[in-house]
Amino acid sequence: MSTKLSGPGSTRTPGRGPLGPGLPRTARTARHHAPVTATGLVVKVILLGLVAGIALWAAFPLVEAGRWVGLALLAATTAGLFYLYLTPRHIPAKYLVPGTLFLIAFQVFPVLYTASTAFTNFGDGHRGSKDDAVVAIQSSSVKQVPGSTEYALSVATAGDPATGALVFLVTDPATGTVSAGDADGLRRLDAADVTVAPGGRVTAADGYTVLNFGQASARSQEITDLVVPTAGGALRSSGLSRAYEGRAIRAYDAGCDCVTDSESGKTWTADEATGSFVAADGERLAQGWKVNVGLENFSRVLTDPNISGPFFGTLLWNFAFAIGSTGFTFGLGMAIALALHSPRMRGTNLYRVLLILPYAMPSFAMLLVWRDMFNTDFGLINNLFGLGVDWFGQDWSARAAVLLVQLWLGYPYMFLVATGALQAIPKELTEATSVDGASPWQSFRAVTLPLLLVALSPLLIASFAYNFNNINAIWLTTEGGPFPADNPRNGATDLLITYTYRLAFGAQGAEFGMAAAVSIFIFAIVATVSAISFRNTRKQEEVYS
């Protein structure tokens, strides 16, 4: 039986809707918009509450620093998230937004920050603002003068006694008041919160851990370097139990925008282009400030002989290392995969388990083991083969050693992916070449290898990019050495990444701006090589598809 609908010839079976059998419109709508369960509602409330809490936590520093654009962006982002997850609309966006935010936070922002740092002089002596530099210059020049007030001193910390930030607890000899001081200045403590021994030394203070003699002695250099600014000068330690309020002999004059030494009369004038105070004879004060230097860091990489020479030499070895590591591991892994792919091989499962053992072990531990194996006097390599090679003492032997280590560590991965790719190649193709009279080598070169490269080219490109920046392989074996006598910054086995690391965190002082510039070069090189390789890979796919 059918029921007449509006319009000629229209019929409808009872229980069937125009949009699908057996379901009325309201039921199918409910199916697409399932009701939120109690558990889902609780999770949503917790997550949105967490978002609100993080937003409030981030808002106060932005307000304090006057970063109104950042505050507006934070408010807009928070409001957008609340709107998105409190409305039943925009279902795809609910899944895309979290991933996008994490991508921005952990990928886009670090890249942009690194790029912006490359255009500055950020590094040791150039970390803060000009006002910070002036305070540091004046504080570091504090000297004890006749009549300087002396205080009973206790050294404390609000954290771990071995690593926490140091604080001076000093007692005023005139009033008996106790103050806590650090690099930000002095702040008076409530008498009820401190315990003062006869003689004025503080033995306990709420919120602080007073260091004993042994703990303070272990950090004596940090205590000596700590300067606490005061209204009349600055506090510095005199031993571990006394402190004095000295006078700064160097003062900043805003009129001439310069720093003058009251004892020698020497003057250092501010150079805004370099973020330093410079004297007439070219001397620069160690304390400077962060400024934008434009393309100077990039120019130094290309034109400064002290940097460009090591840079281009390292770049050539970097390419050789990345290509060699990728090529050798692929060649060995593919050869083993071909051997075990033969139907005449027996016990292939056992061989495969044994061959992937290097892949199953932690690489950082194996790198340290290999470093010891190449030891000249006690290493397994020399003792096993009766050699006396100083592997890490000569340029080419050190390079050969790290390539051998990479071959051992990397071939199991190539063996695994080549095995999978070989199993995906139809046997009919190789059998057809045999029927046509091709030798095994001709069959491999004409059919197997091209098909393997089509399947594995993206993995080879990724392996090249990884090895181009493989800091562990170098740092845990040779540490970049051997080094020439005239250049302790750049060794024979250094990659650009280890060279950059040494620039950023080297003993000669950090140069974060320069290191960021080198990182931009590395990114550009890897991106260019990858783009060219992927384009060639697509051409291969078109030929063999």
Side-chain angles (χ1 to χ4, degrees):
M1 176 180 179
S2 61
T3 304
K4 195 78 172 178
L5 294 176
S6 59
S10 298
T11 58
R12 178 168 61 90
T13 303
R16 296 177 62 90
L19 300 179
L23 286 176
R25 184 188 302 271
T26 55
R28 288 189 301 280
T29 302
R31 181 181 63 184
H32 290 294
H33 299 282
V36 179
T37 63
T39 303
L41 183 61
V42 170
V43 171
K44 180 184 289 190
V45 169
I46 292 175
L47 291 178
L48 289 178
L50 182 61
V51 169
I54 294 174
L56 288 174
W57 168 77
F60 286 106
L62 292 173
V63 171
E64 185 177 357
R67 302 295 180 93
W68 307 117
V69 174
L71 183 64
L73 183 62
L74 176 66
T77 302
T78 306
L81 289 174
F82 270 80
Y83 167 76
L84 177 63
Y85 289 100
L86 290 178
T87 179
R89 301 178 180 179
H90 313 296
I91 301 299
K94 295 180 190 294
Y95 295 94
L96 293 175
V97 166
T100 303
L101 291 178
F102 279 110
L103 176 67
I104 293 172
F106 296 107
Q107 292 289 338
V108 177
F109 178 76
V111 169
L112 293 178
Y113 182 77
T114 300
S116 64
T117 302
F119 295 94
T120 70
N121 64 343
F122 185 41
D124 282 352
H126 300 274
R127 294 175 179 264
S129 65
K130 186 176 182 179
D131 292 339
D132 296 331
V134 169
V135 171
I137 290 169
Q138 295 179 155
S139 299
S140 63
S141 68
V142 169
K143 287 188 176 181
Q144 189 171 11
V145 297
S148 295
T149 304
E150 290 197 356
Y151 300 84
L153 170 67
S154 294
V155 182
T157 178
D160 182 25
T163 59
L166 294 177
V167 177
F168 284 172
L169 301 178
V170 294
T171 304
D172 192 317
T175 63
T177 58
V178 177
S179 300
D182 53 22
D184 296 327
L186 280 175
R187 52 193 175 279
R188 187 170 176 177
L189 300 180
D190 194 328
D193 296 335
V194 296
T195 302
V196 182
R201 289 195 73 240
V202 176
T203 57
D206 288 353
Y208 297 99
T209 300
V210 178
L211 305 187
N212 58 37
F213 181 80
Q215 293 167 334
S217 297
R219 306 183 66 179
S220 59
Q221 187 59 50
E222 295 178 67
I223 295 171
T224 302
D225 294 339
L226 180 58
V227 179
V228 180
T230 64
L235 279 177
R236 302 196 73 163
S237 65
S238 177
L240 300 179
S241 61
R242 306 294 295 176
Y244 64 87
E245 184 175 18
R247 181 174 61 86
I249 64 171
R250 291 179 180 175
Y252 174 72
D253 185 352
C256 64
D257 197 14
C258 62
V259 173
T260 303
D261 191 304
S262 59
E263 289 186 348
S264 65
K266 192 171 184 177
T267 299
W268 295 264
T269 305
D271 182 359
E272 297 293 344
T274 61
S276 303
F277 287 101
V278 186
D281 60 2
E283 180 189 2
R284 296 175 183 268
L285 293 180
Q287 298 88 350
W289 60 98
K290 182 180 175 181
V291 296
N292 192 327
V293 296
L295 297 174
E296 181 181 339
N297 290 325
F298 298 93
S299 175
R300 285 179 61 195
V301 172
L302 299 175
T303 61
D304 187 343
N306 295 325
I307 298 177
S308 61
F311 177 85
F312 288 110
T314 301
L315 178 61
L316 289 175
W317 158 242
N318 207 148
F319 269 108
F321 173 80
I323 294 172
S325 297
T326 304
F328 292 154
T329 55
F330 173 67
L332 181 59
M334 180 183 62
I336 297 174
L338 286 169
L340 296 183
H341 188 64
S342 172
R344 292 177 293 178
M345 284 293 297
R346 296 293 181 267
T348 55
N349 289 335
L350 176 62
Y351 287 128
R352 284 168 180 160
V353 170
L354 294 176
L355 288 169
I356 64 171
L357 281 178
Y359 191 61
M361 297 180 180
S363 61
F364 74 92
M366 290 298 98
L367 287 168
L368 296 176
V369 170
W370 274 98
R371 182 189 65 184
D372 292 338
M373 289 171 62
F374 279 110
N375 184 276
T376 303
D377 300 317
F378 310 106
L380 177 64
I381 304 296
N382 280 354
N383 289 334
L384 184 63
F385 296 101
L387 304 175
V389 179
D390 183 7
W391 289 98
F392 296 149
Q394 304 296 324
D395 293 359
W396 290 104
S397 60
R399 290 168 178 171
V402 296
L403 285 174
L404 285 172
V405 174
Q406 279 301 102
L407 178 61
W408 187 84
L409 288 174
Y411 85 83
Y413 170 73
M414 292 299 179
F415 162 68
L416 289 174
V417 296
T419 298
L422 284 172
Q423 292 174 350
I425 297 176
K427 292 183 179 180
E428 292 80 2
L429 295 177
T430 55
E431 291 173 354
T433 59
S434 300
V435 171
D436 291 340
S439 66
W441 166 248
Q442 291 173 327
S443 176
F444 169 76
R445 189 179 60 182
V447 177
T448 306
L449 181 60
L451 292 176
L452 276 177
L453 291 177
V454 169
L456 301 183
S457 287
L459 297 177
L460 292 176
I461 295 170
S463 179
F464 171 84
Y466 172 80
N467 284 311
F468 200 88
N469 292 312
N470 194 347
I471 188 172
N472 286 344
I474 302 300
W475 202 261
L476 295 178
T477 52
T478 65
E479 295 185 358
F483 295 90
D486 59 344
N487 188 4
R489 272 188 163 187
N490 183 252
T493 57
D494 261 328
L495 305 181
L496 288 179
I497 189 66
T498 58
Y499 179 51
T500 303
Y501 179 84
R502 198 173 288 109
L503 279 177
F505 304 104
Q508 297 180 348
E511 296 183 63
F512 298 119
M514 176 62 66
V518 178
S519 298
I520 298 298
F521 277 109
I522 295 174
F523 172 78
I525 292 168
V526 174
T528 302
V529 172
S530 300
I532 295 173
S533 301
F534 276 119
R535 186 171 61 182
N536 292 334
T537 299
R538 284 195 295 270
K539 291 180 180 179
Q540 276 187 323
E541 291 175 352
E542 292 172 359
V543 171
Y544 291 97
S545 61

